[in-house]
Amino acid sequence: MANRMAKELLRLTNVSKVYRMDGITFTALHDISLTVTEGEFVAITGPSGSGKSTLMHLIGCLDHPTTGTIFLEGTDISRAGTTTLARLRNVHIGFVFQQFHLLRRTTSVANVELPLIYRTMSSRERRRRAIEALGEVGLGDKLHNFPSQLSGGQQQRVAIARALVTDPKILLADEPTGNLDSKSGHDILGMFQNLHKAGRTVILVTHDQNVAAIARRQIKISDGTIVSDTTRKQP
Ligand SMILES: Nc1ncnc2c1ncn2[C@@H]1O[C@H](COP(=O)(O)OP(=O)(O)O)[C@@H](O)[C@H]1O
Ligand SMILES: [Mg+2]
């Protein structure tokens, strides 16, 4: 639902990221400013090497900007320490990666429980929430399967359940269909669309224009700079 008074979740102001290696510096992001409000579905697109993952790491509290400020739900995270970043990440962000990043010797339900380990919550409650999240992604019958006993699309659904189990403000996905066949990829994108319709804020990072097309708002980056930021009119 469109909501004119929607709350601002994320604000980046003049953000840059410079990587330093062996005395060589490389500016991966340059002067990025953007805001994301609650309930938006945003695709961040651009060619390989344009800085998409770097931007996702900053938004996801995995790294610091070199200059500029980032506010996440009103908290300045630009200079937050490692422990604070880890806590903010666990509370606010649900990640979905191209490579799924599931623990291989761990069942679906145990994988999904992992982000709840840091919460004060009984193991019974953790299990209940993990089972509920797996049910939401249609895997209620695969609770005790190991990743190797699941298809790629199913593994990515476990990863989505793991991202959702903490009820995060922002769902951040980096090339979530990059390792999937077109049918599974289509299913996963449908799942993001449904999550958006249910009110989730989704930020989807992809080099694939067809994938990006499902989001209403498209932010294009090239060589670390935003070159366009457009929102499609509601049909
Ligand atoms: N840790 C790093 N150290 C040095 N350079 C990096 C590092 N991570 C990314 N880069 C460089 O920053 C640029 C952007 O990378 P990345 O954000 O991964 O792009 P994308 O996700 O759009 O493919 C690339 O030129 C890449 O080589
Ligand atoms: Mg990338």
Side-chain angles (χ1 to χ4, degrees):
M1 278 293 282
N3 178 359
R4 281 170 208 289
M5 299 305 289
K7 189 166 111 196
E8 181 178 296
L9 284 187
L10 187 69
R11 174 179 288 272
L12 279 71
T13 308
N14 308 121
V15 164
S16 77
K17 180 68 187 180
V18 179
Y19 290 117
R20 290 189 176 79
M21 293 172 72
D22 305 326
I24 298 169
T25 64
F26 179 82
T27 303
L29 292 176
H30 178 70
D31 201 24
I32 299 280
S33 296
L34 64 90
T35 62
V36 175
T37 53
E38 196 157 35
E40 274 198 292
F41 190 173
V42 185
I44 296 176
T45 66
S48 181
S50 56
K52 302 182 297 297
S53 293
T54 300
L55 181 56
M56 171 168 166
H57 289 159
L58 297 182
I59 292 171
C61 306
L62 289 162
D63 203 358
H64 292 110
T66 306
T67 60
T69 57
I70 302 178
F71 279 82
L72 178 62
E73 277 219 82
T75 304
D76 186 352
I77 63 165
S78 326
R79 311 282 172 263
T82 317
T83 316
T84 307
L85 275 187
R87 185 176 50 75
L88 290 168
R89 185 160 69 231
N90 184 255
V91 170
H92 294 291
I93 311 284
F95 288 100
V96 179
F97 299 97
Q98 177 171 355
Q99 316 280 0
F100 321 138
H101 289 317
L102 301 175
L103 296 185
R104 282 194 305 140
R105 292 168 199 277
T106 307
T107 61
S108 305
V109 72
N111 264 291
V112 175
E113 278 181 22
L114 278 177
L116 297 176
I117 301 277
Y118 308 102
R119 308 287 170 96
T120 38
M121 187 182 291
S122 68
S123 56
R124 178 190 289 261
E125 177 62 10
R126 274 204 295 270
R127 176 89 8 158
R128 191 191 67 73
R129 292 196 191 193
I131 292 170
E132 185 179 283
L134 281 162
E136 279 174 43
V137 298
L139 289 179
D141 59 342
K142 304 286 183 192
L143 301 180
H144 303 294
N145 290 51
F146 292 93
S148 61
Q149 299 167 331
L150 298 170
S151 71
Q154 289 170 334
Q155 289 182 57
Q156 193 61 302
R157 283 195 271 157
V158 174
I160 292 172
R162 182 184 55 190
L164 291 175
V165 77
T166 53
D167 197 20
K169 282 288 179 188
I170 299 177
L171 201 56
L172 261 185
D174 193 354
E175 305 281 6
T177 60
N179 273 15
L180 301 176
D181 61 85
S182 58
K183 160 86 172 67
S184 309
H186 188 263
D187 292 347
I188 292 297
L189 292 181
M191 199 157 276
F192 283 115
Q193 278 176 310
N194 288 337
L195 290 165
H196 165 61
K197 282 188 195 131
R200 298 268 173 195
T201 309
V202 181
I203 303 179
L204 175 65
V205 175
T206 181
H207 72 282
D208 186 334
Q209 283 302 322
N210 294 321
V211 171
I214 70 165
R216 251 189 93 206
R217 178 175 173 199
Q218 317 235 346
I219 299 176
K220 290 201 172 118
I221 66 174
S222 175
D223 290 334
T225 310
I226 294 179
V227 291
S228 68
D229 183 346
T230 54
T231 303
R232 212 176 29 234
K233 287 208 174 71
Q234 289 277 42

